[in-house]
Amino acid sequence: MSQTRMVGWIIVITHSQFLIELDPGEDTAKVLVVTAKMGRGGGTELSINNGRSIGGGSSVTGTSRVFHNTSSVAFTALPTSNLTTHLPNPHPYPPKMRPHHVLLSLLPLSAAQLQPVPTFGPPIPSRAKMFVYAPPNLPPNPAILLGVHYCTGTAQGYYNGSPYKRLADEKKFVVVYPESPNEGGCWDVSSRATLKRDGGSDSHAIANMARWAVERYNGDKGRVFVIGESSGGMMASILAAAYPDLFSAVINYSGVAAGCFFTDSVAGWNGNCSGGRMNLTPEEWARWVLDAYPGYNGTRPRMQVYHGSADDVIAPANYNYSIAQWTTVFGYPGTPLEEKRDVPERRYTTQVFGEKLTGIWAEGVGHGVPVHGEEDMKFFGL
């Protein structure tokens, strides 16, 4: 643990705030090293390392938030005139300038990590789990991104294997990683409950995760996004259909149109859909979206659909099903207004159907079109 000198500045680093009271009779601030551990009541217990005082006599008061998985905490001094520059000062400061109170916030020595969220809404039948990654130094009203994993996936695996943690560190947004409760790790994209708003299944659970994150981090309600791959891409389409007022933009990688996988069972497999043997009209595809939230007439999220021409798990025809669904919902023509060859990379074609719908056809790519994290950020406006 590195030690830093406490110089009596106002320090604001993270969320949980503690008041350190300096003795007015002490002119020289001493080295401050604080240890934190979980208290029996769920709060955080603080102690001064080696029993050192901050001044001639001091007290540590206040605890409001649980500080998870923490063994030790250090503090860094920052001057109030420049909160972004570390300026530890080894010299005594003049008594007349010495503040009697210094406001501190806990800063864990280790980097921010993926954290479980045991409770994120009222009980529902789905047992989906929630994990969240919040990088340090979040701005006010951050964006919220939900990264929904594929079959066989987990929240931890998607956190480790996708680029969104790194991008969150760079661009300062919160990432929610849902985890499927179903055998095999697939999402329920096939039951009536999941295809209806607040129906109690996995889509409802993920919507509750988004609501929780917006409230917990005071997130920007106009910047709540979803990206999903394969089974997660299927879920992304359902979330766009059933919760259009909650999400502002959605990306579906190698998934299917909302309702395509319907089997009237939980986490069922629809072979006609996966095999590209569906015979629905554009209006019938759109009906799955409209019925997911009956009577809704508000704004719907922008949509982006990726699919590979060589996909042998979710047939390439599913690209056409998704495009037919959303062009009809948005009232766009079924043919693209613009095509961009070799965008975002060679052998990919980006098709623009309207302001709210973009399709990306990946020639020669099989199932699981690789995520394009930087391009996702552009689409989300991050």
PDB file of all heavy atoms in Angstrom, residues 128-166:
ATOM      1  N   ALA A 128     -32.986 -14.830 -13.569  1.00  0.00           N
ATOM      2  CA  ALA A 128     -31.814 -14.218 -14.191  1.00  0.00           C
ATOM      3  C   ALA A 128     -31.031 -13.426 -13.156  1.00  0.00           C
ATOM      4  O   ALA A 128     -31.599 -12.821 -12.242  1.00  0.00           O
ATOM      5  CB  ALA A 128     -32.232 -13.310 -15.340  1.00  0.00           C
ATOM      6  N   LYS A 129     -29.722 -13.432 -13.298  1.00  0.00           N
ATOM      7  CA  LYS A 129     -28.842 -12.735 -12.368  1.00  0.00           C
ATOM      8  C   LYS A 129     -28.318 -11.446 -13.005  1.00  0.00           C
ATOM      9  O   LYS A 129     -28.194 -11.346 -14.230  1.00  0.00           O
ATOM     10  CB  LYS A 129     -27.669 -13.624 -11.973  1.00  0.00           C
ATOM     11  CG  LYS A 129     -28.071 -14.876 -11.209  1.00  0.00           C
ATOM     12  CD  LYS A 129     -26.863 -15.744 -10.885  1.00  0.00           C
ATOM     13  CE  LYS A 129     -27.272 -17.011 -10.150  1.00  0.00           C
ATOM     14  NZ  LYS A 129     -26.092 -17.873  -9.853  1.00  0.00           N
ATOM     15  N   MET A 130     -27.986 -10.501 -12.144  1.00  0.00           N
ATOM     16  CA  MET A 130     -27.479  -9.208 -12.597  1.00  0.00           C
ATOM     17  C   MET A 130     -26.073  -8.963 -12.071  1.00  0.00           C
ATOM     18  O   MET A 130     -25.789  -9.193 -10.895  1.00  0.00           O
ATOM     19  CB  MET A 130     -28.391  -8.074 -12.121  1.00  0.00           C
ATOM     20  CG  MET A 130     -27.893  -6.689 -12.484  1.00  0.00           C
ATOM     21  SD  MET A 130     -28.983  -5.384 -11.847  1.00  0.00           S
ATOM     22  CE  MET A 130     -28.142  -3.922 -12.464  1.00  0.00           C
ATOM     23  N   PHE A 131     -25.208  -8.506 -12.958  1.00  0.00           N
ATOM     24  CA  PHE A 131     -23.872  -8.057 -12.590  1.00  0.00           C
ATOM     25  C   PHE A 131     -23.656  -6.691 -13.233  1.00  0.00           C
ATOM     26  O   PHE A 131     -24.210  -6.400 -14.295  1.00  0.00           O
ATOM     27  CB  PHE A 131     -22.803  -9.044 -13.077  1.00  0.00           C
ATOM     28  CG  PHE A 131     -22.904 -10.402 -12.445  1.00  0.00           C
ATOM     29  CD1 PHE A 131     -23.841 -11.327 -12.896  1.00  0.00           C
ATOM     30  CD2 PHE A 131     -22.076 -10.755 -11.386  1.00  0.00           C
ATOM     31  CE1 PHE A 131     -23.949 -12.580 -12.312  1.00  0.00           C
ATOM     32  CE2 PHE A 131     -22.180 -12.011 -10.797  1.00  0.00           C
ATOM     33  CZ  PHE A 131     -23.116 -12.922 -11.258  1.00  0.00           C
ATOM     34  N   VAL A 132     -22.863  -5.866 -12.589  1.00  0.00           N
ATOM     35  CA  VAL A 132     -22.662  -4.513 -13.106  1.00  0.00           C
ATOM     36  C   VAL A 132     -21.198  -4.124 -13.011  1.00  0.00           C
ATOM     37  O   VAL A 132     -20.496  -4.514 -12.072  1.00  0.00           O
ATOM     38  CB  VAL A 132     -23.554  -3.498 -12.348  1.00  0.00           C
ATOM     39  CG1 VAL A 132     -23.148  -3.387 -10.884  1.00  0.00           C
ATOM     40  CG2 VAL A 132     -23.528  -2.131 -13.015  1.00  0.00           C
ATOM     41  N   TYR A 133     -20.754  -3.374 -14.003  1.00  0.00           N
ATOM     42  CA  TYR A 133     -19.418  -2.786 -13.970  1.00  0.00           C
ATOM     43  C   TYR A 133     -19.568  -1.275 -14.085  1.00  0.00           C
ATOM     44  O   TYR A 133     -20.122  -0.767 -15.076  1.00  0.00           O
ATOM     45  CB  TYR A 133     -18.537  -3.295 -15.113  1.00  0.00           C
ATOM     46  CG  TYR A 133     -17.188  -2.595 -15.127  1.00  0.00           C
ATOM     47  CD1 TYR A 133     -16.235  -2.886 -14.161  1.00  0.00           C
ATOM     48  CD2 TYR A 133     -16.899  -1.607 -16.065  1.00  0.00           C
ATOM     49  CE1 TYR A 133     -15.021  -2.228 -14.133  1.00  0.00           C
ATOM     50  CE2 TYR A 133     -15.681  -0.943 -16.045  1.00  0.00           C
ATOM     51  CZ  TYR A 133     -14.752  -1.261 -15.078  1.00  0.00           C
ATOM     52  OH  TYR A 133     -13.548  -0.588 -15.040  1.00  0.00           O
ATOM     53  N   ALA A 134     -19.090  -0.573 -13.065  1.00  0.00           N
ATOM     54  CA  ALA A 134     -19.126   0.888 -13.050  1.00  0.00           C
ATOM     55  C   ALA A 134     -17.694   1.397 -12.921  1.00  0.00           C
ATOM     56  O   ALA A 134     -17.076   1.229 -11.868  1.00  0.00           O
ATOM     57  CB  ALA A 134     -19.976   1.400 -11.893  1.00  0.00           C
ATOM     58  N   PRO A 135     -17.132   1.977 -13.963  1.00  0.00           N
ATOM     59  CA  PRO A 135     -15.748   2.456 -13.878  1.00  0.00           C
ATOM     60  C   PRO A 135     -15.628   3.619 -12.904  1.00  0.00           C
ATOM     61  O   PRO A 135     -16.630   4.284 -12.599  1.00  0.00           O
ATOM     62  CB  PRO A 135     -15.448   2.908 -15.316  1.00  0.00           C
ATOM     63  CG  PRO A 135     -16.779   3.224 -15.897  1.00  0.00           C
ATOM     64  CD  PRO A 135     -17.751   2.278 -15.261  1.00  0.00           C
ATOM     65  N   PRO A 136     -14.434   3.865 -12.399  1.00  0.00           N
ATOM     66  CA  PRO A 136     -14.256   5.015 -11.502  1.00  0.00           C
ATOM     67  C   PRO A 136     -14.465   6.323 -12.239  1.00  0.00           C
ATOM     68  O   PRO A 136     -14.383   6.382 -13.470  1.00  0.00           O
ATOM     69  CB  PRO A 136     -12.805   4.866 -11.025  1.00  0.00           C
ATOM     70  CG  PRO A 136     -12.137   4.036 -12.060  1.00  0.00           C
ATOM     71  CD  PRO A 136     -13.174   3.113 -12.602  1.00  0.00           C
ATOM     72  N   ASN A 137     -14.753   7.353 -11.466  1.00  0.00           N
ATOM     73  CA  ASN A 137     -14.886   8.708 -11.998  1.00  0.00           C
ATOM     74  C   ASN A 137     -15.988   8.826 -13.032  1.00  0.00           C
ATOM     75  O   ASN A 137     -15.824   9.461 -14.076  1.00  0.00           O
ATOM     76  CB  ASN A 137     -13.552   9.196 -12.587  1.00  0.00           C
ATOM     77  CG  ASN A 137     -12.424   9.159 -11.591  1.00  0.00           C
ATOM     78  OD1 ASN A 137     -12.602   9.550 -10.429  1.00  0.00           O
ATOM     79  ND2 ASN A 137     -11.269   8.668 -12.006  1.00  0.00           N
ATOM     80  N   LEU A 138     -17.132   8.218 -12.757  1.00  0.00           N
ATOM     81  CA  LEU A 138     -18.273   8.363 -13.649  1.00  0.00           C
ATOM     82  C   LEU A 138     -18.728   9.817 -13.679  1.00  0.00           C
ATOM     83  O   LEU A 138     -18.762  10.488 -12.644  1.00  0.00           O
ATOM     84  CB  LEU A 138     -19.435   7.497 -13.181  1.00  0.00           C
ATOM     85  CG  LEU A 138     -19.426   6.019 -13.539  1.00  0.00           C
ATOM     86  CD1 LEU A 138     -20.589   5.324 -12.844  1.00  0.00           C
ATOM     87  CD2 LEU A 138     -19.497   5.810 -15.040  1.00  0.00           C
ATOM     88  N   PRO A 139     -19.131  10.304 -14.842  1.00  0.00           N
ATOM     89  CA  PRO A 139     -19.695  11.660 -14.903  1.00  0.00           C
ATOM     90  C   PRO A 139     -21.125  11.655 -14.378  1.00  0.00           C
ATOM     91  O   PRO A 139     -21.726  10.583 -14.199  1.00  0.00           O
ATOM     92  CB  PRO A 139     -19.662  11.963 -16.404  1.00  0.00           C
ATOM     93  CG  PRO A 139     -19.850  10.622 -17.045  1.00  0.00           C
ATOM     94  CD  PRO A 139     -19.112   9.648 -16.155  1.00  0.00           C
ATOM     95  N   PRO A 140     -21.697  12.806 -14.152  1.00  0.00           N
ATOM     96  CA  PRO A 140     -23.119  12.846 -13.804  1.00  0.00           C
ATOM     97  C   PRO A 140     -23.947  12.274 -14.953  1.00  0.00           C
ATOM     98  O   PRO A 140     -23.612  12.446 -16.120  1.00  0.00           O
ATOM     99  CB  PRO A 140     -23.402  14.342 -13.609  1.00  0.00           C
ATOM    100  CG  PRO A 140     -22.060  14.971 -13.395  1.00  0.00           C
ATOM    101  CD  PRO A 140     -21.085  14.151 -14.164  1.00  0.00           C
ATOM    102  N   ASN A 141     -25.021  11.590 -14.621  1.00  0.00           N
ATOM    103  CA  ASN A 141     -25.955  11.054 -15.616  1.00  0.00           C
ATOM    104  C   ASN A 141     -25.269  10.239 -16.703  1.00  0.00           C
ATOM    105  O   ASN A 141     -25.372  10.534 -17.892  1.00  0.00           O
ATOM    106  CB  ASN A 141     -26.751  12.198 -16.263  1.00  0.00           C
ATOM    107  CG  ASN A 141     -27.313  13.174 -15.247  1.00  0.00           C
ATOM    108  OD1 ASN A 141     -27.013  14.357 -15.286  1.00  0.00           O
ATOM    109  ND2 ASN A 141     -28.110  12.670 -14.330  1.00  0.00           N
ATOM    110  N   PRO A 142     -24.562   9.179 -16.325  1.00  0.00           N
ATOM    111  CA  PRO A 142     -23.853   8.378 -17.328  1.00  0.00           C
ATOM    112  C   PRO A 142     -24.810   7.566 -18.196  1.00  0.00           C
ATOM    113  O   PRO A 142     -25.959   7.300 -17.815  1.00  0.00           O
ATOM    114  CB  PRO A 142     -22.995   7.451 -16.469  1.00  0.00           C
ATOM    115  CG  PRO A 142     -23.791   7.271 -15.212  1.00  0.00           C
ATOM    116  CD  PRO A 142     -24.421   8.618 -14.967  1.00  0.00           C
ATOM    117  N   ALA A 143     -24.314   7.144 -19.351  1.00  0.00           N
ATOM    118  CA  ALA A 143     -25.048   6.202 -20.184  1.00  0.00           C
ATOM    119  C   ALA A 143     -25.010   4.824 -19.528  1.00  0.00           C
ATOM    120  O   ALA A 143     -24.107   4.504 -18.758  1.00  0.00           O
ATOM    121  CB  ALA A 143     -24.440   6.151 -21.580  1.00  0.00           C
ATOM    122  N   ILE A 144     -25.994   4.003 -19.844  1.00  0.00           N
ATOM    123  CA  ILE A 144     -26.088   2.633 -19.346  1.00  0.00           C
ATOM    124  C   ILE A 144     -26.132   1.691 -20.552  1.00  0.00           C
ATOM    125  O   ILE A 144     -26.963   1.869 -21.447  1.00  0.00           O
ATOM    126  CB  ILE A 144     -27.359   2.415 -18.501  1.00  0.00           C
ATOM    127  CG1 ILE A 144     -27.512   3.501 -17.411  1.00  0.00           C
ATOM    128  CG2 ILE A 144     -27.370   1.017 -17.914  1.00  0.00           C
ATOM    129  CD1 ILE A 144     -26.497   3.444 -16.316  1.00  0.00           C
ATOM    130  N   LEU A 145     -25.248   0.707 -20.571  1.00  0.00           N
ATOM    131  CA  LEU A 145     -25.220  -0.289 -21.645  1.00  0.00           C
ATOM    132  C   LEU A 145     -25.481  -1.665 -21.062  1.00  0.00           C
ATOM    133  O   LEU A 145     -24.851  -2.057 -20.075  1.00  0.00           O
ATOM    134  CB  LEU A 145     -23.864  -0.282 -22.352  1.00  0.00           C
ATOM    135  CG  LEU A 145     -23.625  -1.399 -23.372  1.00  0.00           C
ATOM    136  CD1 LEU A 145     -24.582  -1.271 -24.551  1.00  0.00           C
ATOM    137  CD2 LEU A 145     -22.180  -1.379 -23.868  1.00  0.00           C
ATOM    138  N   LEU A 146     -26.384  -2.415 -21.661  1.00  0.00           N
ATOM    139  CA  LEU A 146     -26.620  -3.795 -21.273  1.00  0.00           C
ATOM    140  C   LEU A 146     -25.965  -4.703 -22.313  1.00  0.00           C
ATOM    141  O   LEU A 146     -26.273  -4.624 -23.504  1.00  0.00           O
ATOM    142  CB  LEU A 146     -28.113  -4.101 -21.190  1.00  0.00           C
ATOM    143  CG  LEU A 146     -28.810  -3.632 -19.903  1.00  0.00           C
ATOM    144  CD1 LEU A 146     -29.025  -2.121 -19.918  1.00  0.00           C
ATOM    145  CD2 LEU A 146     -30.132  -4.348 -19.706  1.00  0.00           C
ATOM    146  N   GLY A 147     -25.055  -5.562 -21.853  1.00  0.00           N
ATOM    147  CA  GLY A 147     -24.392  -6.521 -22.723  1.00  0.00           C
ATOM    148  C   GLY A 147     -24.940  -7.908 -22.458  1.00  0.00           C
ATOM    149  O   GLY A 147     -24.678  -8.493 -21.403  1.00  0.00           O
ATOM    150  N   VAL A 148     -25.698  -8.458 -23.414  1.00  0.00           N
ATOM    151  CA  VAL A 148     -26.438  -9.699 -23.202  1.00  0.00           C
ATOM    152  C   VAL A 148     -25.718 -10.845 -23.909  1.00  0.00           C
ATOM    153  O   VAL A 148     -25.570 -10.839 -25.130  1.00  0.00           O
ATOM    154  CB  VAL A 148     -27.889  -9.568 -23.706  1.00  0.00           C
ATOM    155  CG1 VAL A 148     -28.711 -10.779 -23.257  1.00  0.00           C
ATOM    156  CG2 VAL A 148     -28.525  -8.275 -23.189  1.00  0.00           C
ATOM    157  N   HIS A 149     -25.304 -11.842 -23.140  1.00  0.00           N
ATOM    158  CA  HIS A 149     -24.441 -12.898 -23.665  1.00  0.00           C
ATOM    159  C   HIS A 149     -25.202 -13.899 -24.532  1.00  0.00           C
ATOM    160  O   HIS A 149     -26.430 -13.935 -24.586  1.00  0.00           O
ATOM    161  CB  HIS A 149     -23.727 -13.621 -22.516  1.00  0.00           C
ATOM    162  CG  HIS A 149     -24.639 -14.391 -21.602  1.00  0.00           C
ATOM    163  ND1 HIS A 149     -25.288 -15.542 -21.970  1.00  0.00           N
ATOM    164  CD2 HIS A 149     -24.998 -14.175 -20.304  1.00  0.00           C
ATOM    165  CE1 HIS A 149     -25.998 -16.015 -20.965  1.00  0.00           C
ATOM    166  NE2 HIS A 149     -25.850 -15.204 -19.939  1.00  0.00           N
ATOM    167  N   TYR A 150     -24.453 -14.745 -25.189  1.00  0.00           N
ATOM    168  CA  TYR A 150     -24.921 -15.808 -26.070  1.00  0.00           C
ATOM    169  C   TYR A 150     -25.209 -17.087 -25.266  1.00  0.00           C
ATOM    170  O   TYR A 150     -24.953 -17.150 -24.060  1.00  0.00           O
ATOM    171  CB  TYR A 150     -23.832 -16.100 -27.109  1.00  0.00           C
ATOM    172  CG  TYR A 150     -22.451 -16.007 -26.508  1.00  0.00           C
ATOM    173  CD1 TYR A 150     -21.937 -17.024 -25.703  1.00  0.00           C
ATOM    174  CD2 TYR A 150     -21.682 -14.849 -26.677  1.00  0.00           C
ATOM    175  CE1 TYR A 150     -20.698 -16.911 -25.102  1.00  0.00           C
ATOM    176  CE2 TYR A 150     -20.427 -14.732 -26.075  1.00  0.00           C
ATOM    177  CZ  TYR A 150     -19.945 -15.757 -25.296  1.00  0.00           C
ATOM    178  OH  TYR A 150     -18.726 -15.635 -24.689  1.00  0.00           O
ATOM    179  N   CYS A 151     -25.736 -18.125 -25.947  1.00  0.00           N
ATOM    180  CA  CYS A 151     -25.900 -19.434 -25.306  1.00  0.00           C
ATOM    181  C   CYS A 151     -24.549 -19.945 -24.826  1.00  0.00           C
ATOM    182  O   CYS A 151     -23.523 -19.728 -25.493  1.00  0.00           O
ATOM    183  CB  CYS A 151     -26.496 -20.451 -26.277  1.00  0.00           C
ATOM    184  SG  CYS A 151     -28.250 -20.256 -26.609  1.00  0.00           S
ATOM    185  N   THR A 152     -24.550 -20.632 -23.715  1.00  0.00           N
ATOM    186  CA  THR A 152     -23.373 -21.140 -22.996  1.00  0.00           C
ATOM    187  C   THR A 152     -22.608 -20.029 -22.299  1.00  0.00           C
ATOM    188  O   THR A 152     -21.631 -20.295 -21.605  1.00  0.00           O
ATOM    189  CB  THR A 152     -22.378 -21.920 -23.891  1.00  0.00           C
ATOM    190  OG1 THR A 152     -21.631 -21.004 -24.725  1.00  0.00           O
ATOM    191  CG2 THR A 152     -23.092 -22.948 -24.755  1.00  0.00           C
ATOM    192  N   GLY A 153     -23.033 -18.779 -22.445  1.00  0.00           N
ATOM    193  CA  GLY A 153     -22.299 -17.665 -21.861  1.00  0.00           C
ATOM    194  C   GLY A 153     -22.658 -17.405 -20.417  1.00  0.00           C
ATOM    195  O   GLY A 153     -23.622 -17.957 -19.866  1.00  0.00           O
ATOM    196  N   THR A 154     -21.861 -16.570 -19.789  1.00  0.00           N
ATOM    197  CA  THR A 154     -22.107 -16.092 -18.429  1.00  0.00           C
ATOM    198  C   THR A 154     -21.791 -14.601 -18.394  1.00  0.00           C
ATOM    199  O   THR A 154     -21.152 -14.069 -19.308  1.00  0.00           O
ATOM    200  CB  THR A 154     -21.209 -16.800 -17.402  1.00  0.00           C
ATOM    201  OG1 THR A 154     -19.828 -16.495 -17.704  1.00  0.00           O
ATOM    202  CG2 THR A 154     -21.416 -18.309 -17.417  1.00  0.00           C
ATOM    203  N   ALA A 155     -22.226 -13.966 -17.337  1.00  0.00           N
ATOM    204  CA  ALA A 155     -21.906 -12.546 -17.178  1.00  0.00           C
ATOM    205  C   ALA A 155     -20.396 -12.344 -17.087  1.00  0.00           C
ATOM    206  O   ALA A 155     -19.830 -11.452 -17.730  1.00  0.00           O
ATOM    207  CB  ALA A 155     -22.604 -11.984 -15.945  1.00  0.00           C
ATOM    208  N   GLN A 156     -19.724 -13.165 -16.286  1.00  0.00           N
ATOM    209  CA  GLN A 156     -18.278 -13.040 -16.131  1.00  0.00           C
ATOM    210  C   GLN A 156     -17.563 -13.304 -17.455  1.00  0.00           C
ATOM    211  O   GLN A 156     -16.620 -12.596 -17.815  1.00  0.00           O
ATOM    212  CB  GLN A 156     -17.765 -14.011 -15.071  1.00  0.00           C
ATOM    213  CG  GLN A 156     -16.276 -13.860 -14.741  1.00  0.00           C
ATOM    214  CD  GLN A 156     -15.954 -12.580 -14.013  1.00  0.00           C
ATOM    215  OE1 GLN A 156     -16.531 -12.305 -12.962  1.00  0.00           O
ATOM    216  NE2 GLN A 156     -15.038 -11.777 -14.540  1.00  0.00           N
ATOM    217  N   GLY A 157     -18.014 -14.312 -18.188  1.00  0.00           N
ATOM    218  CA  GLY A 157     -17.391 -14.614 -19.468  1.00  0.00           C
ATOM    219  C   GLY A 157     -17.556 -13.479 -20.465  1.00  0.00           C
ATOM    220  O   GLY A 157     -16.629 -13.166 -21.212  1.00  0.00           O
ATOM    221  N   TYR A 158     -18.728 -12.853 -20.457  1.00  0.00           N
ATOM    222  CA  TYR A 158     -18.950 -11.750 -21.398  1.00  0.00           C
ATOM    223  C   TYR A 158     -18.190 -10.500 -20.972  1.00  0.00           C
ATOM    224  O   TYR A 158     -17.705  -9.738 -21.816  1.00  0.00           O
ATOM    225  CB  TYR A 158     -20.442 -11.468 -21.528  1.00  0.00           C
ATOM    226  CG  TYR A 158     -20.798 -10.841 -22.856  1.00  0.00           C
ATOM    227  CD1 TYR A 158     -20.402 -11.435 -24.054  1.00  0.00           C
ATOM    228  CD2 TYR A 158     -21.521  -9.663 -22.923  1.00  0.00           C
ATOM    229  CE1 TYR A 158     -20.711 -10.865 -25.268  1.00  0.00           C
ATOM    230  CE2 TYR A 158     -21.834  -9.087 -24.139  1.00  0.00           C
ATOM    231  CZ  TYR A 158     -21.431  -9.687 -25.308  1.00  0.00           C
ATOM    232  OH  TYR A 158     -21.726  -9.113 -26.514  1.00  0.00           O
ATOM    233  N   TYR A 159     -18.084 -10.306 -19.694  1.00  0.00           N
ATOM    234  CA  TYR A 159     -17.265  -9.211 -19.155  1.00  0.00           C
ATOM    235  C   TYR A 159     -15.812  -9.374 -19.597  1.00  0.00           C
ATOM    236  O   TYR A 159     -15.165  -8.415 -20.026  1.00  0.00           O
ATOM    237  CB  TYR A 159     -17.379  -9.222 -17.635  1.00  0.00           C
ATOM    238  CG  TYR A 159     -16.422  -8.329 -16.879  1.00  0.00           C
ATOM    239  CD1 TYR A 159     -16.665  -6.978 -16.727  1.00  0.00           C
ATOM    240  CD2 TYR A 159     -15.286  -8.874 -16.272  1.00  0.00           C
ATOM    241  CE1 TYR A 159     -15.795  -6.166 -16.003  1.00  0.00           C
ATOM    242  CE2 TYR A 159     -14.421  -8.081 -15.544  1.00  0.00           C
ATOM    243  CZ  TYR A 159     -14.677  -6.723 -15.420  1.00  0.00           C
ATOM    244  OH  TYR A 159     -13.806  -5.934 -14.699  1.00  0.00           O
ATOM    245  N   ASN A 160     -15.305 -10.612 -19.511  1.00  0.00           N
ATOM    246  CA  ASN A 160     -13.910 -10.867 -19.877  1.00  0.00           C
ATOM    247  C   ASN A 160     -13.685 -10.871 -21.383  1.00  0.00           C
ATOM    248  O   ASN A 160     -12.629 -10.432 -21.857  1.00  0.00           O
ATOM    249  CB  ASN A 160     -13.453 -12.219 -19.308  1.00  0.00           C
ATOM    250  CG  ASN A 160     -13.372 -12.220 -17.801  1.00  0.00           C
ATOM    251  OD1 ASN A 160     -13.202 -11.182 -17.171  1.00  0.00           O
ATOM    252  ND2 ASN A 160     -13.508 -13.397 -17.199  1.00  0.00           N
ATOM    253  N   GLY A 161     -14.667 -11.366 -22.141  1.00  0.00           N
ATOM    254  CA  GLY A 161     -14.437 -11.619 -23.550  1.00  0.00           C
ATOM    255  C   GLY A 161     -14.920 -10.565 -24.508  1.00  0.00           C
ATOM    256  O   GLY A 161     -14.573 -10.616 -25.700  1.00  0.00           O
ATOM    257  N   SER A 162     -15.714  -9.623 -24.059  1.00  0.00           N
ATOM    258  CA  SER A 162     -16.215  -8.562 -24.943  1.00  0.00           C
ATOM    259  C   SER A 162     -15.450  -7.266 -24.665  1.00  0.00           C
ATOM    260  O   SER A 162     -14.803  -7.126 -23.624  1.00  0.00           O
ATOM    261  CB  SER A 162     -17.714  -8.357 -24.718  1.00  0.00           C
ATOM    262  OG  SER A 162     -17.953  -7.824 -23.424  1.00  0.00           O
ATOM    263  N   PRO A 163     -15.544  -6.292 -25.555  1.00  0.00           N
ATOM    264  CA  PRO A 163     -14.753  -5.066 -25.377  1.00  0.00           C
ATOM    265  C   PRO A 163     -15.408  -4.008 -24.503  1.00  0.00           C
ATOM    266  O   PRO A 163     -14.841  -2.925 -24.325  1.00  0.00           O
ATOM    267  CB  PRO A 163     -14.624  -4.546 -26.810  1.00  0.00           C
ATOM    268  CG  PRO A 163     -15.882  -4.995 -27.480  1.00  0.00           C
ATOM    269  CD  PRO A 163     -16.207  -6.331 -26.873  1.00  0.00           C
ATOM    270  N   TYR A 164     -16.570  -4.304 -23.917  1.00  0.00           N
ATOM    271  CA  TYR A 164     -17.344  -3.218 -23.320  1.00  0.00           C
ATOM    272  C   TYR A 164     -16.801  -2.722 -21.985  1.00  0.00           C
ATOM    273  O   TYR A 164     -17.001  -1.557 -21.635  1.00  0.00           O
ATOM    274  CB  TYR A 164     -18.813  -3.639 -23.230  1.00  0.00           C
ATOM    275  CG  TYR A 164     -19.308  -4.021 -24.601  1.00  0.00           C
ATOM    276  CD1 TYR A 164     -19.627  -5.337 -24.919  1.00  0.00           C
ATOM    277  CD2 TYR A 164     -19.382  -3.069 -25.614  1.00  0.00           C
ATOM    278  CE1 TYR A 164     -20.021  -5.685 -26.205  1.00  0.00           C
ATOM    279  CE2 TYR A 164     -19.783  -3.407 -26.891  1.00  0.00           C
ATOM    280  CZ  TYR A 164     -20.092  -4.721 -27.184  1.00  0.00           C
ATOM    281  OH  TYR A 164     -20.469  -5.063 -28.457  1.00  0.00           O
ATOM    282  N   LYS A 165     -16.100  -3.572 -21.250  1.00  0.00           N
ATOM    283  CA  LYS A 165     -15.465  -3.093 -20.021  1.00  0.00           C
ATOM    284  C   LYS A 165     -14.392  -2.066 -20.368  1.00  0.00           C
ATOM    285  O   LYS A 165     -14.310  -0.998 -19.755  1.00  0.00           O
ATOM    286  CB  LYS A 165     -14.885  -4.275 -19.246  1.00  0.00           C
ATOM    287  CG  LYS A 165     -14.285  -3.910 -17.885  1.00  0.00           C
ATOM    288  CD  LYS A 165     -12.817  -3.603 -17.932  1.00  0.00           C
ATOM    289  CE  LYS A 165     -12.255  -3.333 -16.544  1.00  0.00           C
ATOM    290  NZ  LYS A 165     -10.872  -2.820 -16.579  1.00  0.00           N
ATOM    291  N   ARG A 166     -13.553  -2.383 -21.351  1.00  0.00           N
ATOM    292  CA  ARG A 166     -12.498  -1.445 -21.767  1.00  0.00           C
ATOM    293  C   ARG A 166     -13.115  -0.142 -22.286  1.00  0.00           C
ATOM    294  O   ARG A 166     -12.649   0.958 -21.948  1.00  0.00           O
ATOM    295  CB  ARG A 166     -11.642  -2.092 -22.850  1.00  0.00           C
ATOM    296  CG  ARG A 166     -10.648  -1.129 -23.519  1.00  0.00           C
ATOM    297  CD  ARG A 166      -9.850  -1.788 -24.612  1.00  0.00           C
ATOM    298  NE  ARG A 166     -10.674  -2.329 -25.676  1.00  0.00           N
ATOM    299  CZ  ARG A 166     -11.174  -1.586 -26.673  1.00  0.00           C
ATOM    300  NH1 ARG A 166     -10.972  -0.282 -26.712  1.00  0.00           N
ATOM    301  NH2 ARG A 166     -11.894  -2.153 -27.622  1.00  0.00           N
TER     302      ARG A 166
END
